[in-house]
């Protein structure tokens, strides 16, 4: 699970990687590039100086801890589900268009049942919501099959 945010300097990317690794590993974080994260230039120049931008990827124990039992799901259906005041899994992390939720959350079963109802052809709802429910179910199924 890489960080999609680009940093203007390598040192900023290192700070971002260290913070992400520390969140994932807690006290066992060793703060060294190598076992926990790696820094990469993205190859595209930025600014008037033409310097590379950088991004990081967690790896090893930090990647395993950060992604253990967490699945990336589209926002659309989860937002609709929570707006209807139904039990909703806690959001671990979010991006512009996705939430990360825990597969161990006790509220996940209610979300999946609701998504199954909306994903069926017999449901009389707007097409976008139906497609969002199907995308959510596919993401959760993918998370379960890949051991996330």
């Amino acid at each position: 699970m890489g960080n999609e945010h680009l940093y203007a300097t390598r040192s900023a990317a290192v700070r971002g990687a260290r913070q992400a690794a520390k969140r994932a590993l807690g006290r066992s974080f060793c703060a060294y590039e190598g076992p926990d994260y790696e820094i990469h230039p993205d190859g595209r120049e930025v600014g008037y100086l033409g310097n590379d931008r950088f991004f990081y990827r967690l790896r090893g124990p930090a990647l395993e801890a950060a992604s253990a039992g967490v699945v990336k799901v589209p926002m659309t259906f989860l937002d609709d589900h929570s707006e209807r005041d139904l039990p909703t899994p806690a959001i671990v992390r979010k991006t512009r268009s996705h939430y990360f939720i825990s597969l161990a959350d006790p509220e996940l079963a209610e979300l999946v049942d609701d998504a199954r109802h909306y994903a069926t052809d017999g449901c009389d709802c707007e097409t976008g919501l139906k497609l969002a429910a199907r995308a959510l179910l596919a993401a959760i199924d993918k998370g379960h099959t890949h051991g996330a």
Side-chain angles (χ1 to χ4, degrees):
M1 176 191 309
N3 184 358
E4 301 304 320
H5 183 75
L6 293 172
Y7 297 88
T9 63
R10 188 177 196 287
S11 61
V14 169
R15 277 193 305 276
R18 285 182 177 163
Q19 290 171 353
K22 187 179 277 187
R23 280 191 304 270
L25 296 174
R27 293 178 188 216
S28 65
F29 173 57
C30 69
Y32 293 109
E33 184 174 350
D36 295 324
Y37 61 89
E38 52 194 31
I39 306 295
H40 299 280
D42 79 334
R44 293 174 34 197
E45 296 176 353
V46 65
Y48 63 90
L49 295 176
N51 296 329
D52 280 342
R53 297 180 299 179
F54 295 87
F55 66 95
Y56 70 84
R57 285 196 185 120
L58 295 180
R59 63 188 220 180
L63 177 61
E64 292 169 14
S67 60
V70 175
V71 64
K72 178 173 135 180
V73 298
M75 281 182 166
T76 309
F77 189 79
L78 191 63
D79 285 343
D80 179 78
H81 182 80
S82 67
E83 286 171 4
R84 290 182 280 129
D85 293 326
L86 296 170
T88 305
I91 296 167
V92 175
R93 187 170 83 86
K94 73 178 195 172
T95 64
R96 276 190 227 150
S97 58
H98 292 88
Y99 291 128
F100 291 80
I101 59 174
S102 172
L103 291 171
D105 194 302
E107 309 297 346
L108 185 64
E110 173 65 30
L111 177 66
V112 169
D113 286 343
D114 193 34
R116 282 189 184 131
H117 168 73
Y118 277 86
T120 62
D121 290 330
C123 177
D124 186 28
C125 61
E126 62 185 63
T127 305
L129 192 57
K130 189 179 286 195
L131 292 174
R134 289 178 182 166
L136 182 126
L137 290 171
I140 290 173
D141 184 49
K142 182 179 176 184
H144 278 295
T145 58
H146 287 109

